């Protein structure tokens, strides 16, 4: 007990503002060597893949069994690291490793979710409240079974099943989907190809406007044979089959259009729902400090 006490006294509390800053400092990445190393093309920012990491670490949650979620950071282990839905996320985990080395006391679960918050904010999105409290596990025994994350090739029914299991409603599902204003699909990761609109490193409501305002036509991705939708005028931008199916669903459509009409409403709702996603299943004690980090770009 004495040794434990000393350790507590010696341990400097983590300054999460410093961690936020350290993540913000590595977001911009135009180094061609990075992308040659990963043999994959991106848009000069690690932000989008960090947001996807935070989401895939959290979105395995099941409200009924209270399993999954960002607590534990089980994606470090097989089989979860090898689940097809997580293809490409080793890049995000690797790039955060130097920050883990610099702040060894932070848990991976806290680091990954904080990276998601930092990326959203630094790329122009809303402030997302965040608190620490995730504890890592030491092996893959509590990895969630494959199939808990959405399959982009399916329809609105499947999307509802997956997100209702996490505890979200239709409005929250549509608000979360707006994260696709960021980033792109990579044929070698998901089989799909391209960004959702022309500014994939700016967090905005352009995703909803693209769905509402453009004419979407079916296209087969040459590299993978996957079917997706592309903008008739600019076939470099795309939508997933699940997204076109969602937009055509009456229950979902009103929220898509609401967010297309008001970026302010989208930002308010996204902040709430992204915070909720990142906290699913985390055993907070209740006295954790809630951070509202200040964006360095603000
Ligand atoms: Fe997503 N997403 N996502 N997504 N996602 C992909 C990429 C990103 C689905 C499918 C895909 C959310 C919800 C869904 C991001 C954030 C979120 C890809 C391409 C597919 C496929 C992966 C690749 O090839 O690299 C489906 C289906 C759903 C169901 O609704 C939610 C929720 C979030 C966050 C709140 C981000 C960001 C990316 C871009 C990653 C990158 O590397 O650019």
């Amino acid at each position: 007990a004495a040794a434990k006490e000393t350790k507590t006294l010696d341990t400097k509390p983590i300054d999460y503002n410093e961690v936020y800053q350290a993540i913000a400092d590595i977001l911009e990445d135009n180094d061609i060597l990075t992308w040659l190393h990963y043999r994959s093309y991106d848009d000069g920012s690690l932000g989008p893949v960090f947001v996807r990491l935070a989401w895939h670490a959290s979105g395995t949650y099941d409200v009924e069994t209270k399993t999954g979620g960002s607590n534990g950071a089980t994606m470090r282990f097989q089989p979860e690291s090898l689940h097809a839905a997580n293809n490409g996320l080793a890049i995000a985990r690797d790039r955060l490793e130097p920050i883990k080395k610099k702040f060894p006391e932070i848990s991976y679960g806290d680091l990954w979710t904080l990276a998601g918050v930092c990326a959203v904010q630094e790329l122009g999105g809303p402030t997302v409240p965040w608190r620490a409290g995730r504890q890592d596990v030491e092996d893959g025994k509590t990895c969630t079974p494959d199939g808990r994350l959405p399959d982009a090739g399916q329809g609105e029914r499947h999307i509802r099943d997956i997100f209702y299991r996490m505890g979200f409603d239709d409005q929250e599902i549509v608000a979360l989907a707006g994260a696709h204003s960021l980033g792109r699909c990579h044929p070698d990761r998901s089989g799909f190809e391209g960004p959702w609109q022309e500014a994939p490193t700016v967090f905005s409501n352009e995703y909803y406007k693209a769905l509402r305002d453009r004419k979407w036509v079916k296209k087969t991705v040459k590299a993978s044979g996957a079917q997706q939708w592309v903008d008739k005028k600019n076939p470099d931008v795309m939508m997933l089959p699940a997204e076109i199916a969602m937009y055509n669903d009456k229950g979902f459509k009103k929220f898509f259009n609401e967010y297309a009409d008001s970026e302010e409403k989208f930002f308010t709702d996204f902040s709430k729902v992204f915070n909720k996603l990142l906290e699913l299943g985390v055993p907070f004690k209740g006295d954790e400090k809630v951070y509202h980090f200040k964006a360095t770009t603000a």
Side-chain angles (χ1 to χ4, degrees):
K4 208 177 163 197
E5 227 165 86
T6 321
K7 188 168 184 289
T8 318
L9 287 175
D10 286 352
T11 311
K12 200 172 105 213
I14 307 164
D15 183 340
Y16 291 104
N17 288 298
E18 275 182 30
V19 184
Y20 178 100
Q21 184 62 53
I23 298 166
D25 287 345
I26 63 163
L27 285 184
E28 194 178 316
D29 188 347
N30 287 307
D31 190 346
I32 187 68
L33 292 177
T34 301
W35 303 115
L36 285 175
H37 176 71
Y38 293 116
R39 286 179 296 143
S40 200
Y41 174 73
D42 254 297
D43 304 285
S45 173
L46 290 164
V49 81
F50 286 173
V51 173
R52 182 168 164 247
L53 174 66
W55 136 240
H56 280 208
S58 310
T60 53
Y61 188 63
D62 174 72
V63 269
E64 290 223 333
T65 57
K66 299 192 165 38
T67 55
S70 60
N71 192 49
T74 49
M75 203 203 293
R76 288 169 295 149
F77 305 109
Q78 292 185 13
E80 199 175 328
S81 56
L82 300 178
H83 290 167
N86 292 330
N87 283 350
L89 290 178
I91 297 172
R93 296 194 300 271
D94 286 359
R95 302 296 281 185
L96 288 169
E97 206 49 45
I99 304 210
K100 171 71 177 162
K101 295 237 158 60
K102 200 168 163 204
F103 302 94
E105 304 290 332
I106 196 172
S107 69
Y108 280 99
D110 282 343
L111 176 62
W112 294 351
T113 53
L114 179 47
V117 165
C118 177
V120 166
Q121 295 193 185
E122 294 297 308
L123 297 180
T127 304
V128 181
W130 179 90
R131 51 189 170 150
R134 295 157 193 81
Q135 293 147 22
D136 291 337
V137 292
E138 296 316 318
D139 56 49
K141 283 193 202 116
T142 53
C143 280
T144 46
D146 201 358
R148 286 207 177 177
L149 292 163
D151 172 353
Q154 295 204 43
E156 74 286 352
R157 185 61 213 270
H158 165 78
I159 298 297
R160 281 201 173 91
D161 287 345
I162 292 279
F163 282 89
Y164 288 177
R165 190 214 66 231
M166 294 174 221
F168 292 113
D169 63 22
D170 286 359
Q171 172 266 317
E172 292 175 312
I173 296 170
V174 177
L176 279 170
H180 283 173
S181 76
L182 296 181
R184 62 170 54 244
C185 297
H186 306 74
D188 55 323
R189 297 182 198 172
S190 60
F192 300 102
E193 181 167 31
W196 286 266
Q197 39 78 41
E198 290 82 357
T201 60
V202 180
F203 193 93
S204 73
N205 71 336
E206 287 299 324
Y207 164 79
Y208 301 104
K209 289 193 196 161
L211 256 174
R212 184 192 59 187
D213 299 338
R214 303 187 194 202
K215 177 143 181 55
W216 297 96
V217 293
K218 264 195 187 148
K219 191 189 161 182
T220 304
V221 181
K222 275 209 194 80
S224 63
Q227 288 258 335
Q228 63 181 32
W229 297 78
V230 296
D231 176 1
K232 201 169 178 210
K233 285 210 186 112
N234 178 7
D236 289 342
V237 305
M238 60 85 64
M239 286 287 161
L240 298 164
E243 298 178 299
I244 296 294
M246 284 168 77
Y247 189 68
N248 288 326
D249 176 90
K250 249 177 59 196
F252 281 133
K253 190 180 220 126
K254 58 173 185 274
F255 299 116
F256 278 103
N257 287 339
E258 203 181 331
Y259 295 138
D261 289 341
S262 171
E263 186 169 78
E264 199 184 333
K265 175 89 176 104
F266 167 51
F267 274 28
T268 305
D269 290 355
F270 183 82
S271 170
K272 272 191 219 132
V273 74
F274 195 49
N275 166 264
K276 174 174 166 179
L277 171 70
L278 303 187
E279 296 201 342
L280 293 176
V282 182
F284 292 111
K285 291 202 243 27
D287 59 354
E288 292 83 3
K289 177 178 157 70
V290 180
Y291 287 86
H292 295 86
F293 299 106
K294 201 171 159 349
T296 64
T297 48

